[in-house]
Amino acid sequence: MEVFLAILAGALYAAGLYMLMRRSIVKLIMGLSLLGHAANLLIFTVGRVTRANPPVIGHEADMLHAPFADPLPQALILTAIVIGFGVQAFAIVLVKRAYQTVGTDDFDQMRSTDRYEDELFK
Amino acid sequence: MRTSIILSTASRYLLPLMPLFSIFLLLRGHNEPGGGFVGGLVAAAAFALYAFAHNVKEARKALRVEPRRLIGVGLFIAVGSAALSVFNGKPFMTGLWYKEVPVLGKLGTPFLFDIGVYLVVVGVTLTIIFSLAEGE
Amino acid sequence: MNILLILPILIPFITGIILILAWNNQLGQKTLSVVGASLLLATGVGLLLSVWEDGIQVVQIGNWPAPFGITLVADLLSAIMVVLAGLMSTSVIIYSLTSMDPERESFGYHPLFHILLMGICGSFLTGDIFNLYVWFEVMLISSFVLVALGGEKAQLEGGIKYVTLNLISSAIFLVAVGILYGMVGTLNMADLANQLDNAKQPGLVTTLAILFMIAFGLKAAMFPLFFWLPSSYHTPPVAVSAIFSGLLTKVGVYTLIRAFTLLFVQDVEYTHTILLVASGLTMLTGVLGAAAQNEFRRILSFHIVSQIGYMVMGLALYTPLALAGSIFYIAHHIIVKTNLFLVSGVVHRLRGSYHLKQLGGMYHLYPMLAILFLIPAFSLAGIPPLSGFWAKFVLIKAGLQQGEYAIVATALVVSLLTIFSMTKIWGEVFWKPELESSEVTENPPLSSLLHLVLPVAALAAITVMIGLFSEPLFILSTRAAEQLLNREAYIQAVLGLGVQ
């Protein structure tokens, strides 16, 4: 199982990085979100995938029975997903506004921040 | 924009039902799966669906309050619940419990915190969705 | 428990909430914003005094004992950083009372500013590595919005670059935290420090150290990861640039210092050598980049990169004196760099341009402003007796003690080049006669721009004071550095008092 998850995370990283390096800003967003998923999956995998009881103390018991799964990696992932949700929503809004204002979705055209002077003195 | 009549009719019935379900999720959240975050998302989904089926203006009217205000109030409740323990001489965010109540379950500051989270999630999600949809 | 530890997070948060609730009341927002920022400054000073008197302060959030719950820790370095955050936010908020346009204010400039501050203070105070990630995100999301707020073309372009590279850094950070947890099973920094020393796979620890170095280095704009900074910092309004330049990259430097003094000191030979080489290259590329620029704020942005090199240099040398130099340098740099950005804003306000070729004659018209520029500019270049001189002096002395002559030589050359850049601004903006084509006809007196000039003058005064009376700050930095190198005390403070 770990091997499969590791390959999957690797594939997600590859796909995410590939998308990041394209010139379109829409693909950039997809790349970022793929990177986020890859990171989450990786945390899930290194947090040890086991067949064990859920880490919840039942109504009758007053302590956990070993073997129980470690809940913390999942808590981390959950937090990361929530944060990723907010960040991506913002990134989409930003990209949309940028597309409307700059009038292109091509990164090669978005260099006025680095070529400020040429534009000013043309 | 044309919307399907099925969607617009359904959304009208879902508008009260989904928030109701979301409150169920909120209350259930203490010991079982559920909680403020999921509940908030479900409630926000109801209004988002309504906005898609009709329009944003109608959805804003159905919500009655500014989503931004919900964020503020929600954050306020959350911080307040976390700060209550400081006045009791315990570290910040220590849970204080009142007692068991029939329908609501065990009352305490974590529950208040969850209500805050619920409101913040509704507010944030709807702010994003509404402003995206209005920018069309 | 110590309430002063939570207040630096709570004050900006509550201020932010009230500001959200009072969204449409502009006058109320401004007042509250100033009050919130000055309260933060006051608590910061209180915290510093309390840490100075009683040593490292610890609070276990939610009363959960140490390695399990989230811990807030304030040692001297954190406390110094909180004070600086308070000082910068107060000056920038006063500055933006006049400089910020009502449009941006009505879109939530003030609430965002305070949420940003909350993220910054949270990052300084947390003792839990995943919590640090969360504070980073709080800080980043609000900074994303602040960069893009207003929606000008350059802002949106710069914003995309800023957002993308910072998100990549967050993704790397997150993965590193995940692997770290998978390896040692704890997230509490004190506990981590304990566990990492006895880790079974030292090779993996070093790999993780490099992952963290990349993640934090990106935030700190270290070579070769700095490209986002000069393409985005000059795009938002100057108040936003100023607070970013003062505090955001310094959060990256702070976390680098924290990680490479507390957590990853198992293979100092390897990791700190990389840091040393990177710091030299950071200084050099930053200053050379600045030499090619002709826009006020872009020059300053490149100089941020160059200065980050000095701070990392102190960390890389890893001796008490070098670390003290780093901390001294951070304090000096935050004040001076913010001030320079604010001065560029005043010039823009008076002349409507940031471009060196379009400016001129400011010395003739505004001699006071020229002096207010010269103080931070000379301090940045390290001319005695201003604060920058002492900061560089300590670092270079530490470098000589260690026998690292290459980095000392680099630091000195970069200082010279910094003078070149500052002279360029001086010559173009202040000294050369005003352009004949200039369309600006009115020259309002500086006293009419009180909100703009007051923070500039105050920060310049602090720079001079640090220069003339550098002893107290130096003693403070030395003690902070000793505290950083004494890991046992930190671990003891967090874990020893764990069960209350």
Side-chain angles (χ1 to χ4, degrees):
Chain A
M1 193 63 188
E2 269 98 344
V3 176
F4 173 69
L5 284 174
I7 292 172
L8 195 57
L12 279 173
Y13 267 116
L17 287 175
Y18 176 74
M19 289 299 236
L20 273 183
M21 287 172 210
R22 319 264 21 225
R23 279 178 11 200
S24 145
I25 42 177
V26 180
K27 290 182 177 143
L28 174 86
I29 300 273
M30 291 183 195
L32 285 176
S33 97
L34 281 176
L35 271 195
H37 293 317
N40 291 338
L41 198 61
L42 187 64
I43 295 175
F44 182 70
T45 316
V46 295
R48 300 206 173 85
V49 187
T50 47
R51 284 188 176 278
N53 299 326
V56 175
I57 302 172
H59 285 296
E60 297 82 33
D62 51 1
M63 62 176 291
L64 279 179
H65 295 291
F68 54 87
D70 185 356
L72 210 107
Q74 290 170 46
L76 300 189
I77 296 169
L78 191 64
T79 317
I81 289 176
V82 172
I83 293 174
F85 163 75
V87 170
Q88 260 150 43
F90 172 74
I92 291 170
V93 177
L94 178 69
V95 160
K96 195 179 145 202
R97 284 293 303 279
Y99 173 70
Q100 285 167 344
T101 314
V102 185
T104 173
D105 72 335
D106 186 351
F107 266 120
D108 279 6
Q109 311 293 323
M110 291 201 177
R111 45 190 179 177
S112 67
T113 55
D114 295 311
R115 304 190 59 171
Y116 181 83
E117 314 179 4
D118 302 359
E119 285 196 0
L120 207 70
F121 286 99
K122 218 166 249 174
Chain B
M1 191 176 76
R2 263 180 58 207
T3 42
S4 94
I5 192 155
I6 300 178
L7 182 64
S8 71
T9 316
S11 73
R12 202 161 294 150
Y13 289 105
L14 282 173
L15 186 63
L17 278 178
M18 280 170 77
L20 214 63
F21 178 62
S22 76
I23 289 172
F24 163 71
L25 281 176
L26 168 69
L27 295 179
R28 192 179 127 94
H30 183 60
N31 276 329
E32 320 249 343
F37 187 75
V38 189
L41 279 183
V42 170
F47 290 98
L49 192 69
Y50 196 76
F52 291 141
H54 302 268
N55 57 45
V56 177
K57 220 172 141 199
E58 296 268 320
R60 274 192 194 275
K61 223 156 79 196
L63 185 66
R64 298 212 179 141
V65 281
E66 273 281 296
R68 200 169 47 226
R69 194 150 286 250
L70 285 180
I71 303 178
V73 173
L75 287 176
F76 198 77
I77 294 176
V79 176
S81 77
L84 272 181
S85 59
V86 174
F87 298 116
N88 255 344
K90 294 196 174 112
F92 188 65
M93 275 186 116
T94 309
L96 300 174
W97 295 101
Y98 177 56
K99 63 178 181 192
E100 199 99 10
V101 176
V103 185
L104 297 175
K106 211 167 157 192
L107 280 187
T109 50
F111 179 64
L112 265 182
F113 189 81
D114 234 12
I115 295 177
V117 171
Y118 177 92
L119 292 176
V120 174
V121 170
V122 174
V124 169
T125 317
L126 287 181
T127 310
I128 295 170
I129 292 178
F130 285 172
S131 60
L132 264 178
E134 273 168 349
E136 295 272 301
Chain C
M1 61 150 252
N2 194 339
I3 185 90
L4 280 172
L5 237 92
I6 298 170
L7 283 181
I9 298 172
L10 265 189
I11 288 174
F13 192 28
I14 291 175
T15 316
I17 294 171
I18 302 176
L19 287 170
I20 290 176
L21 290 173
W23 192 269
N24 293 321
N25 181 350
Q26 291 217 357
L27 185 66
Q29 284 216 334
K30 285 178 171 178
T31 327
L32 196 65
S33 208
V34 175
V35 172
S38 22
L39 275 179
L40 179 63
L41 176 58
T43 40
V45 173
L47 181 65
L48 183 61
L49 288 177
S50 139
V51 176
W52 177 261
E53 292 288 321
D54 309 326
I56 298 175
Q57 301 289 309
V58 178
V59 167
Q60 314 290 354
I61 295 291
N63 221 358
W64 301 105
F68 307 112
I70 289 171
T71 315
L72 293 185
V73 191
D75 62 356
L76 276 175
L77 176 62
S78 321
I80 294 172
M81 297 305 283
V82 171
V83 173
L84 288 169
L87 181 63
M88 287 312 111
S89 56
T90 315
S91 355
V92 172
I93 277 290
I94 291 176
Y95 186 87
S96 53
L97 288 180
T98 308
S99 78
M100 195 51 61
D101 46 312
E103 170 95 315
R104 284 192 172 87
E105 278 186 335
S106 71
F107 275 100
Y109 167 73
H110 289 292
L112 283 165
F113 190 93
H114 285 275
I115 302 291
L116 178 77
L117 277 180
M118 173 177 78
I120 291 171
C121 290
S123 312
F124 290 150
L125 290 174
T126 185
D128 180 288
I129 196 125
F130 189 73
N131 196 233
L132 179 66
Y133 168 78
V134 175
W135 287 125
F136 261 26
E137 295 300 306
V138 169
M139 181 177 94
L140 283 180
I141 292 177
S142 40
S143 70
F144 291 168
V145 187
L146 279 175
V147 162
L149 195 68
E152 286 163 22
K153 188 176 164 213
Q155 275 189 298
L156 293 169
E157 284 186 24
I160 287 184
K161 291 165 192 173
Y162 177 75
V163 167
T164 309
L165 284 165
N166 276 293
L167 284 184
I168 292 173
S169 136
S170 295
I172 296 172
F173 184 16
L174 182 62
V175 165
V177 171
I179 298 177
L180 194 61
Y181 179 76
M183 209 165 77
V184 292
T186 180
L187 292 170
N188 184 295
M189 290 204 232
D191 200 23
L192 275 174
N194 249 342
Q195 309 268 359
L196 282 174
D197 282 352
N198 323 316
K200 290 189 197 89
Q201 307 114 312
L204 199 51
V205 174
T206 311
T207 315
L208 269 177
I210 301 299
L211 267 184
F212 276 105
M213 197 191 289
I214 294 172
F216 295 151
L218 236 166
K219 310 260 181 209
M222 206 167 74
F223 178 88
L225 309 161
F226 62 85
F227 294 100
W228 56 272
L229 192 147
S231 359
S232 61
Y233 266 28
H234 63 292
T235 56
V238 76
V240 177
S241 300
I243 196 80
F244 279 20
S245 69
L247 294 176
L248 285 196
T249 44
K250 260 49 80 188
V251 176
V253 176
Y254 165 84
T255 45
L256 269 178
I257 292 181
R258 182 67 73 205
F260 287 91
T261 54
L262 180 65
L263 303 180
F264 300 109
V265 289
Q266 293 78 18
D267 197 355
V268 175
E269 193 72 17
Y270 183 73
T271 47
H272 288 60
T273 308
I274 295 182
L275 280 174
L276 192 66
V277 174
S279 76
L281 290 170
T282 312
M283 289 179 207
L284 214 55
T285 39
V287 86
L288 291 178
Q293 302 301 322
N294 272 314
E295 207 240 357
F296 208 144
R297 288 188 299 173
R298 265 178 79 79
I299 297 178
L300 297 179
S301 302
F302 270 104
H303 274 294
I304 300 178
V305 177
S306 148
Q307 312 282 310
I308 295 290
Y310 286 94
M311 301 168 208
V312 179
M313 170 186 163
L315 168 64
L317 291 171
Y318 200 57
T319 60
L321 186 66
L323 273 170
S326 256
I327 296 165
F328 195 115
Y329 205 103
I330 292 175
H332 137 77
H333 170 88
I334 290 180
I335 295 169
V336 164
K337 184 57 84 180
T338 309
N339 202 4
L340 282 172
F341 267 95
L342 296 182
V343 171
S344 81
V346 178
V347 172
H348 180 261
R349 176 87 178 191
L350 294 169
R351 279 293 171 276
S353 172
Y354 288 110
H355 206 280
L356 297 191
K357 292 193 174 132
Q358 292 178 332
L359 293 166
M362 294 299 279
Y363 174 68
H364 182 64
L365 291 166
Y366 298 101
M368 269 314 285
L369 185 64
I371 290 171
L372 287 179
F373 167 78
L374 270 190
I375 292 171
F378 276 176
S379 179
L380 193 75
I383 290 177
L386 295 160
S387 59
F389 169 72
W390 301 109
K392 283 182 181 168
F393 178 73
V394 174
L395 280 174
I396 283 166
K397 191 175 164 200
L400 288 176
Q401 275 180 1
Q402 288 298 99
E404 301 281 357
Y405 299 114
I407 195 79
V408 170
T410 317
L412 290 173
V413 171
V414 169
S415 274
L416 275 180
L417 290 171
T418 311
I419 300 184
F420 164 71
S421 265
M422 290 301 128
T423 328
K424 184 164 88 179
I425 298 181
W426 170 257
E428 295 280 337
V429 178
F430 293 94
W431 198 247
K432 86 174 180 211
E434 192 169 11
L435 293 183
E436 283 171 17
S437 59
S438 169
E439 285 154 13
V440 184
T441 46
E442 5 169 0
N443 296 307
L446 271 189
S447 53
S448 68
L449 300 170
L450 190 64
H451 287 148
L452 302 187
V453 179
L454 198 67
V456 174
L459 292 178
I462 294 175
T463 312
V464 175
M465 289 301 282
I466 293 178
L468 295 179
F469 307 99
S470 58
E471 196 69 18
L473 183 59
F474 182 66
I475 293 171
L476 186 64
S477 321
T478 314
R479 250 183 81 174
E482 279 161 6
Q483 223 172 45
L484 280 176
L485 290 173
N486 187 359
R487 298 164 75 212
E488 289 308 315
Y490 185 97
I491 296 169
Q492 187 62 35
V494 176
L495 297 181
L497 303 171
V499 190
Q500 287 179 339

